[in-house]
C-alpha cells in the first residue's frame, strides 16, 4: 500500500515528506480553505514535495464548469490528478477528462455501486471515505472490503484510495483489505510513529551505551575519521 498525505498545508507536507514515506497527496476544498496564501502555489509546492499524484478538486456543479476547472488545475503541475465529486455530472466529467488523458480521482464514494460507476467512467482512483461512514454508525471497514471485492471481481482497474482516515487502525484495515492507497492526515501519520516499547527500548540502548563511555569515544572517533577522509 502507498501512503498519501491528506492536507492543504505545505508545512505539514514538508515535515512528513522528509520521512520518505509519501507517494502522493490529496487536497480538498475544505482543507485548502483553512490555509492562507495562494492555493495554486500551495498545490504546486505539495506536488514538488511528494513527487507523485496530487489531487486538486473541482468545485463547479455543472459539467462544463468542472471540465474547465479540471483542465486548468491539471496545467498547474505534471503531478496533478483532478478530483471530481461523485454524481452523474461527475461521471460525465470523469469520462471526458480520462479520454483526454487526464487522471481523475473520483471522490465521495461510499458504496460498491458508486465505486463500480466511478471505475466504469474511467477514474484512475476511487476515494472511499471511512471516517464519515463510521460517523453515521456504518462499519467502514466492511464497506471498504465490499468495494474492493466488487471492483476486483468485476475486473475494474481503478486504484482504491481509503480516505477520511481518522486513526491508525483505519490504515491497517485498508491495507489488509488490499486498498492500493490510504490518504492520511499528518496527525494520524504522526500517531503511527508511536509505541511505548519503542521508546522504552531506545532509552535502554542509550543508557547501556552511556555506561561504557570508552565505547562512545570509539564510535565518535570512527565517525570523525570517516568524515575527515570524505573531505
Ligand atoms: C479525501 O481525499 C478527502 O480529502 C478526505 O480524506 C476527507 O476526510 P474527512 O472526512 O476527514 O474530511
Amino acid at each position: 500500500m502507498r501512503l498519501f498525505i491528506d492536507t492543504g498545508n505545505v508545512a505539514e507536507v514538508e515535515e512528513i515528506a522528509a520521512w520518505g514515506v509519501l507517494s502522493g497527496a490529496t487536497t480538498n476544498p475544505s482543507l485548502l480553505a483553512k490555509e492562507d496564501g495562494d492555493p495554486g502555489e500551495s498545490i504546486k509546492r505539495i506536488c514538488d514535495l511528494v513527487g507523485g499524484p496530487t489531487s486538486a478538486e473541482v468545485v463547479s456543479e455543472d459539467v462544463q464548469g468542472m471540465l474547465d476547472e479540471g483542465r486548468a488545475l491539471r496545467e498547474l503541475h505534471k503531478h496533478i490528478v483532478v478530483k471530481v465529486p461523485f454524481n452523474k455530472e461527475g461521471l460525465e466529467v470523469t469520462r471526458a477528462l480520462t479520454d483526454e488523458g487526464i487522471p481523475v480521482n473520483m471522490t465521495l464514494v461510499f458504496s460498491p455501486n458508486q465505486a463500480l460507476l466511478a471505475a466504469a467512467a474511467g477514474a484512475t482512483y476511487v476515494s472511499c471515505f471511512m471516517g464519515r461512514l463510521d460517523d453515521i454508525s456504518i462499519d467502514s471497514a466492511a464497506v471498504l472490503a465490499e468495494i474492493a471485492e466488487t471492483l476486483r471481481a468485476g475486473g475494474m482497474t481503478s486504484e482504491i484510495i481509503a480516505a477520511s482516515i481518522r486513526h491508525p487502525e483505519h490504515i491497517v484495515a485498508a491495507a489488509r483489505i488490499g486498498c492500493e492507497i490510504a490518504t492520511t492526515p499528518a496527525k494520524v501519520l504522526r500517531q503511527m510513529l508511536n509505541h511505548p516499547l519503542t521508546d522504552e527500548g531506545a532509552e535502554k540502548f542509550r543508557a547501556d551505551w552511556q555506561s561504557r563511555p570508552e565505547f562512545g569515544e570509539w564510535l565518535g572517533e570512527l565517525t570523525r575519521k570517516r568524515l575527515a577522509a570524505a573531505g
Side-chain angles (χ1 to χ4, degrees):
M1 171 192 263
R2 278 130 57 213
L3 291 177
F4 287 8
I5 186 165
D6 193 30
T7 187
N9 183 293
V10 172
E12 284 184 347
V13 184
E14 280 169 352
E15 175 199 338
I16 312 283
W19 301 357
V21 299
L22 295 179
S23 305
T26 51
T27 67
N28 67 38
S30 306
L31 291 170
L32 288 169
K34 288 196 271 184
E35 304 299 328
D36 294 325
D38 178 338
E41 290 308 310
S42 299
I43 290 168
K44 285 194 281 184
R45 179 77 183 124
I46 292 170
C47 286
D48 284 336
L49 285 165
V50 298
T54 299
S55 294
E57 189 161 342
V58 298
V59 293
S60 283
E61 290 175 16
D62 62 298
V63 170
Q64 193 55 53
M66 283 195 268
L67 281 172
D68 291 340
E69 288 172 2
R71 290 172 185 138
L73 287 168
R74 172 66 180 172
E75 284 173 12
L76 278 178
H77 196 284
K78 66 177 179 187
H79 289 319
I80 291 290
V81 170
V82 176
K83 209 180 196 188
V84 176
F86 183 87
N87 54 34
K88 59 183 173 13
E89 291 80 12
L91 288 170
E92 188 176 337
V93 169
T94 296
R95 169 50 60 204
L97 293 178
T98 299
D99 286 350
E100 291 173 28
I102 298 177
V104 171
N105 172 3
M106 183 142 246
T107 191
L108 293 168
V109 168
F110 292 93
S111 73
N113 281 326
Q114 291 180 330
L116 273 176
L117 287 171
T124 303
Y125 306 98
V126 178
S127 282
C128 309
F129 283 41
M130 299 190 79
R132 295 192 196 188
L133 281 169
D134 292 340
D135 289 345
I136 58 165
S137 300
I138 293 176
D139 179 349
S140 62
V143 173
L144 200 61
E146 215 187 332
I147 287 173
E149 198 185 325
T150 304
L151 290 192
R152 300 303 163 249
M156 307 309 224
T157 55
S158 305
E159 292 196 308
I160 299 171
I161 302 182
S164 189
I165 299 287
R166 301 281 169 78
H167 49 71
E169 276 309 301
H170 272 153
I171 301 170
V172 173
R176 294 177 73 165
I177 287 163
C179 294
E180 286 80 7
I181 296 154
T183 191
T184 310
K187 179 182 158 205
V188 178
L189 289 162
R190 289 187 205 107
Q191 288 172 338
M192 291 172 78
L193 295 170
N194 300 330
H195 197 289
L197 290 178
T198 302
D199 299 339
E200 198 182 297
E203 186 48 45
K204 171 102 174 79
F205 288 151
R206 212 165 12 245
D208 288 346
W209 191 250
Q210 280 166 0
S211 75
R212 298 296 301 271
E214 71 277 25
F215 284 9
E217 282 299 312
W218 162 77
L219 185 56
E221 187 53 23
L222 187 74
T223 308
R224 274 190 294 280
K225 272 193 202 153
R226 190 204 156 263
L227 287 173

